[in-house]
Amino acid sequence: MITYVFPGQGSQSKGMGGSLFDEFKELTLKADEVLGYSIKQLCLEDAESNLGETQYTQPALYVVNALGYLKKVKDTGKEPDYVAGHSLGEYNALFAAGAFDFTTGLKLVQKRGQLMSRAVGGGMGAVIGLNEEQISDALKKNNMLTIDIANYNSPTQIVISGLRKDIEDAQPVFEGMKDVQMFLLLKTSGAFHSRYMQEARKEFEIFLQNFTFSDLRIPVISNVYARPCKQFAVKQNLIEQITQPVKWTESIRYLMGLGEMEFVEIGSGNVLTGLIRRIKREAQPLKLTDIESKNDLKKDDLSIPPERASFLIDTETAEVHNQKSNNEKAKENNRKFEGISSSSLGSAAFKKDYNIQYAYITGAMYRGIASKEMVVKMGKAKMMGFLGTGGLNVSQIEAAIQYIQKELSEGQAYGMNLLHNPIDPKKEEEIVDLYLLHGVKTLEAAAFISITPALVKYRAKGMTRNPQGEAIAFNRIIAKVSRPEVAETFFSPAPERIVAKLLAEKKITEEEADLLKAVPMADDICAEADSAGHTDGGVASALIPAMITLRDQMMRKYQYQKKVRVGAAGGIGTPEAAAAAFIMGADFIVTGSINQCTVEASTSSNVKDLLQQMNVQDTDYSPAGDMFEMGAKIQVLKKGLFFPIRANKLYELYRRYNSLDEIDEKTKVQIQEKYFKKSFSDVYQDIKSFYPAEEIEKAERNPKHKMALIFRWYFGYSTRLALGGSEENKVDYQIHCGPALGAFNQWVKGTNLEDWKQRNVDVIAVKLMNETVELLNQRYKNFLENCN
């Protein structure tokens, strides 16, 4: 008898497939159509180094394995007696057995690879030298209960899977054990074949509902059960395989127990050949009696001939086995706290409304630091990010919208920021008109101290009634606020005077004006505490409960049909901070500062280098350039920079004097030479081309206003220096940042995320959510134990 075995991820190599692509040109073209890229170029050239990325690796291996199988059958003229595949390879085994055609299998594998590639924050490690029992004992004795066994590759080569930090912490433990020959950290982004793949499992299960499988003409050995897969269980096996371990050793021992068996590896490399050789050397075949004992079969079943047992274990036997497994799982679940998942944190309604997997948002950072690339990265990871539009002109914003909408063409979530512009309200409305033109459905309103006509216009457009007669607003607003009195205006319906004005100007319809009375101005409120934004230095533990109480009062007052959610922002850079926000009742969380020090952030490498070194004490408050005269404060990086001192001095001078002429000569020289690097008159010439004509006219009439405009120039100048990465004027960098980044830096110290060049916003988001839920589960478990 002969068994063909197909390898999985880890067997890929540049050049694999060779002449197979030309020999099977039609299938190669079909693969290109499904994937949207040349599979031949990927495998043979890999010019962009994608072959090692899960979403590319899995389809590539499937195609090479499949073509290799067809070539083998073509050359030999016969099919094998059995087929088996390691993890991904099981899809090739099913293809060989006739469960589906080449194209269907590729679509399944493509989706599987995409889902598994989203699993970040996890890790895997290969332990060589210990058997299953020794590894299980080590995990229990060292309280490493968050780690699962993922692959039983051979009796003494076993792969463990879990959170990256836990796997790294496990390395010295195993390396210190007597019989361990080697501990190898595997290059994976996710904790494959473990409990941490539940989200991928759920999505894949939904995806599989669209497919039906044909009858198997060759016995396929299941990874999950190490037994031949029954026809009725094919789909369920593929679903379970994502979170269950690969029982490769037992699968090979089972096949060995059927009699004289030859194993032939099909596809790329010879990894499985080596493992099978090792299994034969270290383990005995599983005889039929072993199988019967393992599955609690009745004596009546012993009449099944050994040579046919592999394919004729009946449905009743399978059900007995499954029932026993389910009973054991139930008992185990009763012995331990089940816990919650990261996708269950926050408001379910919030996640449903915005079509996101996690109650997690990346907030806007001005001047496009929260870039279009950042927004797209979050959207593709089934989360939501906001573009930082403050300081960008309309054409720049429009180009970013077009890019984002093109990249997120499958309904993924995204949002655009609207920063309050008290000096130029016309620009606010111009940006809102742009959003309406391009169908932007989610807006983040920031730095508002009151409701403006532009916000009301955005909220009103497109409003209608559902079949039940309830008012429905299609344009959603998430308002970032730090003061209860401002939050109250967003919890309330649109101000009547503004609605009347817009109606008179025919900017909204009578129906829209009427519908505005039934909905709050914001769908969601983000309570922003101590952060880099306009936050008044609020404390989260005081601010969030106050906002929730206010929300409940306003809900009772206006009898809204739909609940307004309250989220939390500011100071969130570690699992402890995120956990605290959710415990206080936050429906979602928003991160900011920690995303400024990522690959996707659109600021200079010099800025990111500075941010990577900061700690929690390295920030200070300075005047906000956009609200300079009002005395509004923002938080900025102070370590190694003069900007906070200089910015505060400019505001103090503005507050004390009525014109530049009143300031002493020594101070004026210092400002022009040290701060501005140019004269006041040159600065004034610059700002004439920037501000509206009425602002310049006002400055000509009012010396104090002219001084304010000239001082405000420094804030734009210092921002440009930072964004451009000027080496010569580094001390004048204006870098908005809260202490959350300092805490984040300490949290990831010693990991690959210590280097900002390894930081991606989606990786950070998933890691933060996963470790938050791990922390909450552990703390709750400890609480229960202490109570007992």
Side-chain angles (χ1 to χ4, degrees):
M1 293 182 290
I2 187 169
T3 297
Y4 285 176
V5 293
F6 301 90
Q9 198 162 341
S11 297
Q12 71 275 7
S13 63
K14 183 178 177 180
M16 68 179 188
S19 62
L20 289 172
F21 302 108
D22 292 332
E23 186 169 349
F24 296 93
K25 287 183 178 179
E26 187 176 342
L27 291 180
T28 300
L29 287 173
K30 284 185 178 180
D32 292 350
E33 290 174 8
V34 171
L35 299 173
Y37 55 81
S38 171
I39 190 66
K40 179 179 177 180
Q41 289 181 1
L42 172 65
C43 294
L44 300 186
E45 301 171 15
D46 193 22
E48 298 180 6
S49 300
N50 285 328
L51 196 55
E53 301 294 327
T54 298
Q55 64 269 39
Y56 292 99
T57 306
Q58 296 196 14
L61 281 171
Y62 170 82
V63 171
V64 171
N65 289 350
L67 299 185
Y69 172 75
L70 295 174
K71 171 69 171 172
K72 189 72 173 178
V73 172
K74 180 181 176 182
D75 291 346
T76 62
K78 61 180 182 180
E79 294 181 332
D81 298 292
Y82 301 89
V83 286
H86 189 286
S87 190
L88 166 78
E90 188 167 355
Y91 288 78
N92 289 107
L94 288 166
F95 165 67
F100 41 68
D101 60 21
F102 173 83
T103 303
T104 299
L106 182 56
K107 289 178 180 178
L108 296 176
V109 168
Q110 182 186 35
K111 184 66 173 181
R112 182 182 189 264
Q114 290 170 348
L115 292 175
M116 292 178 73
S117 71
R118 295 178 190 169
V120 294
M124 302 178 77
V127 184
I128 301 173
L130 299 183
N131 60 34
E132 174 185 348
E133 185 178 349
Q134 288 172 310
I135 288 179
S136 296
D137 287 345
L139 293 175
K140 290 176 183 176
K141 288 178 181 178
N142 292 280
N143 199 31
M144 296 185 290
L145 303 179
T146 59
I147 294 175
D148 295 337
I149 293 179
N151 299 341
Y152 297 93
N153 286 338
S154 79
T156 56
Q157 186 190 118
I158 293 175
V159 176
I160 59 175
S161 186
L163 298 177
R164 168 65 61 176
K165 184 178 184 300
D166 292 345
I167 299 298
E168 290 172 349
D169 289 345
Q171 182 171 1
V173 175
F174 281 108
E175 288 178 339
M177 296 179 67
K178 178 184 175 183
D179 297 325
V180 172
Q181 299 169 17
M182 183 186 298
F183 185 100
L184 181 64
L185 283 173
L186 304 184
K187 294 181 179 179
T188 63
S189 61
F192 301 154
H193 297 292
S194 76
R195 73 188 86 170
Y196 301 101
M197 299 299 295
Q198 283 291 347
E199 295 303 324
R201 181 188 188 278
K202 290 176 184 176
E203 287 196 51
F204 195 61
E205 183 174 8
I206 295 170
F207 181 73
L208 279 181
Q209 291 175 2
N210 301 316
F211 297 88
T212 56
F213 297 142
S214 302
D215 291 343
L216 302 176
R217 63 174 181 267
I218 304 173
V220 179
I221 308 303
S222 161
N223 280 187
V224 177
Y225 296 106
R227 298 293 181 273
C229 184
K230 297 299 291 181
Q231 187 67 43
F232 70 87
V234 172
K235 188 177 291 188
Q236 190 60 36
N237 278 348
L238 292 183
I239 294 167
E240 292 186 15
Q241 190 215 53
I242 292 176
T243 55
Q244 294 299 314
V246 176
K247 295 182 178 179
W248 189 249
T249 299
E250 191 175 338
S251 296
I252 299 304
R253 290 183 64 204
Y254 177 89
L255 289 163
M256 289 163 57
L258 298 177
E260 288 295 323
M261 185 68 69
E262 179 186 357
F263 295 93
V264 177
E265 185 167 2
I266 305 293
S268 175
N270 57 5
V271 172
L272 297 184
T273 301
L275 290 178
I276 292 170
R277 189 182 303 120
R278 189 166 185 167
I279 293 168
K280 287 182 175 180
R281 187 173 63 247
E282 297 178 355
Q284 295 298 314
L286 276 177
K287 299 299 183 181
L288 182 60
T289 51
D290 296 321
I291 299 165
E292 293 162 353
S293 175
K294 193 172 186 69
N295 290 284
D296 289 336
L297 297 183
K298 297 177 182 178
K299 290 182 179 180
D300 293 345
D301 296 319
L302 299 181
S303 60
I304 299 174
E307 67 272 16
R308 300 195 65 212
S310 62
F311 206 47
L312 297 180
I313 295 179
D314 60 21
T315 303
E316 181 183 350
T317 300
E319 288 176 351
V320 169
H321 174 73
N322 289 340
Q323 185 62 50
K324 185 171 186 293
S325 297
N326 290 337
N327 289 340
E328 289 171 352
K329 288 178 183 177
K331 290 177 182 177
E332 180 65 21
N333 288 341
N334 287 335
R335 289 196 295 267
K336 64 181 182 180
F337 168 57
E338 279 292 328
I340 55 176
S341 67
S342 51
S343 61
S344 66
L345 291 174
S347 164
F350 179 85
K351 287 175 282 188
K352 182 179 179 181
D353 279 354
Y354 293 102
N355 188 31
I356 56 179
Q357 183 174 355
Y358 300 109
Y360 183 106
I361 294 173
T362 56
M365 292 177 283
Y366 81 144
R367 300 276 182 160
I369 293 174
S371 64
K372 60 184 187 295
E373 292 80 10
M374 187 179 292
V375 174
V376 168
K377 195 81 168 177
M378 289 297 289
K380 288 185 175 180
K382 295 204 72 175
M383 291 174 278
M384 182 163 62
F386 284 92
L387 182 78
T389 61
L392 301 184
N393 60 43
V394 171
S395 62
Q396 289 173 315
I397 298 172
E398 184 170 33
I401 293 173
Q402 292 169 339
Y403 172 86
I404 291 166
Q405 291 181 338
K406 180 181 178 183
E407 291 294 316
L408 301 180
S409 59
E410 299 178 4
Q412 298 100 323
Y414 73 92
M416 309 299 293
N417 170 254
L418 183 67
L419 192 65
H420 180 42
N421 193 331
I423 291 178
D424 191 2
K426 290 182 180 178
K427 186 173 182 181
E428 255 185 45
E429 187 169 359
E430 187 179 3
I431 293 173
V432 160
D433 287 340
L434 182 69
Y435 294 166
L436 294 172
L437 175 67
H438 287 280
V440 174
K441 296 300 181 186
T442 305
L443 180 154
E444 179 194 70
F448 283 84
I449 55 177
S450 61
I451 304 300
T452 65
L455 281 175
V456 177
K457 181 179 180 181
Y458 178 80
R459 186 65 162 160
K461 300 313 294 180
M463 286 193 71
T464 186
R465 293 188 187 277
N466 65 15
Q468 290 74 42
E470 300 168 347
I472 301 295
F474 286 101
N475 293 330
R476 295 193 177 98
I477 294 177
I478 299 179
K480 293 178 77 172
V481 298
S482 57
R483 301 175 68 92
E485 66 269 24
V486 178
E488 186 170 349
T489 65
F490 281 98
F491 282 131
S492 303
E496 291 181 5
R497 57 179 178 78
I498 295 179
V499 173
K501 183 174 183 292
L502 290 173
L503 187 59
E505 295 171 351
K506 298 185 178 181
K507 292 180 178 179
I508 61 174
T509 66
E510 289 189 7
E511 182 183 14
E512 289 167 344
D514 185 55
L515 291 170
L516 280 169
K517 300 174 184 176
V519 297
M521 270 303 298
D523 296 88
D524 306 285
I525 297 290
C526 178
E528 189 174 18
D530 192 30
S531 74
H534 305 76
T535 64
D536 301 308
V539 178
S541 58
L543 184 62
I544 295 171
M547 291 292 187
I548 292 173
T549 299
L550 177 61
R551 183 272 311 278
D552 294 343
Q553 292 171 352
M554 299 299 283
M555 289 290 297
R556 289 192 295 270
K557 178 178 179 180
Y558 291 105
Q559 296 294 301
Y560 296 131
Q561 297 293 324
K562 185 177 180 181
K563 185 178 182 180
V564 182
R565 281 80 54 127
V566 175
I572 300 176
T574 61
E576 290 80 1
F582 285 119
I583 287 173
M584 283 189 287
D587 291 310
F588 59 96
I589 60 173
V590 180
T591 58
S593 297
I594 63 174
N595 304 316
Q596 188 175 189
C597 195
T598 63
V599 173
E600 293 79 20
S602 185
T603 189
S604 66
S605 296
N606 279 346
V607 166
K608 295 176 187 179
D609 289 340
L610 289 171
L611 290 171
Q612 182 180 302
Q613 303 301 320
M614 73 165 285
N615 209 324
V616 292
Q617 71 275 15
D618 293 329
T619 62
D620 198 0
Y621 280 92
S622 74
D626 57 341
M627 296 183 177
F628 180 78
E629 296 95 315
M630 300 177 189
K633 296 281 188 178
I634 55 167
Q635 205 162 180
V636 296
L637 183 67
K638 71 176 180 180
K639 185 178 181 181
L641 305 176
F642 291 162
F643 171 80
I645 296 173
R646 291 176 173 178
N648 279 300
K649 183 168 184 177
L650 289 176
Y651 180 71
E652 182 59 29
L653 292 171
Y654 168 77
R655 194 179 63 82
R656 185 184 306 175
Y657 299 110
N658 292 313
S659 71
L660 290 172
D661 293 336
E662 293 182 11
I663 302 173
D664 65 273
E665 283 302 316
K666 182 179 178 181
T667 300
K668 286 192 289 187
V669 169
Q670 181 189 41
I671 293 171
Q672 292 172 93
E673 292 183 356
K674 298 291 185 182
Y675 297 17
F676 295 178
K677 312 294 191 300
K678 59 169 52 180
S679 67
F680 290 147
S681 59
D682 286 343
V683 169
Y684 190 54
Q685 290 304 314
D686 286 349
I687 64 177
K688 279 184 177 180
S689 62
F690 177 77
Y691 285 103
E694 53 267 29
E695 281 295 309
I696 301 302
E697 292 171 4
K698 182 180 177 182
E700 294 293 342
R701 298 192 306 270
N702 185 341
K704 191 175 183 71
H705 187 61
K706 182 178 181 179
M707 176 171 60
L709 295 186
I710 289 173
F711 283 178
R712 288 179 64 173
W713 175 90
Y714 176 68
F715 293 84
Y717 166 69
S718 57
T719 296
R720 292 192 295 274
L721 292 176
L723 295 178
S726 169
E727 284 286 350
E728 182 181 355
N729 300 298
K730 187 178 289 188
V731 294
D732 281 302
Y733 284 3
Q734 180 182 185
I735 306 172
H736 295 192
C737 187
L741 180 56
F744 177 87
N745 287 338
Q746 301 310 304
W747 173 42
V748 300
K749 196 169 185 178
T751 73
N752 64 317
L753 291 181
E754 183 172 0
D755 181 359
W756 68 260
K757 299 179 186 67
Q758 302 298 319
R759 300 181 187 180
N760 296 101
V761 285
D762 56 336
V763 173
I764 289 172
V766 174
K767 176 181 174 66
L768 187 56
M769 291 297 282
N770 283 342
E771 296 203 20
T772 295
V773 83
E774 285 293 317
L775 176 67
L776 287 169
N777 284 335
Q778 188 58 51
R779 294 287 169 85
Y780 184 67
K781 186 177 179 181
N782 292 343
F783 174 76
L784 291 178
E785 290 173 353
N786 291 334
C787 287
N788 293 333

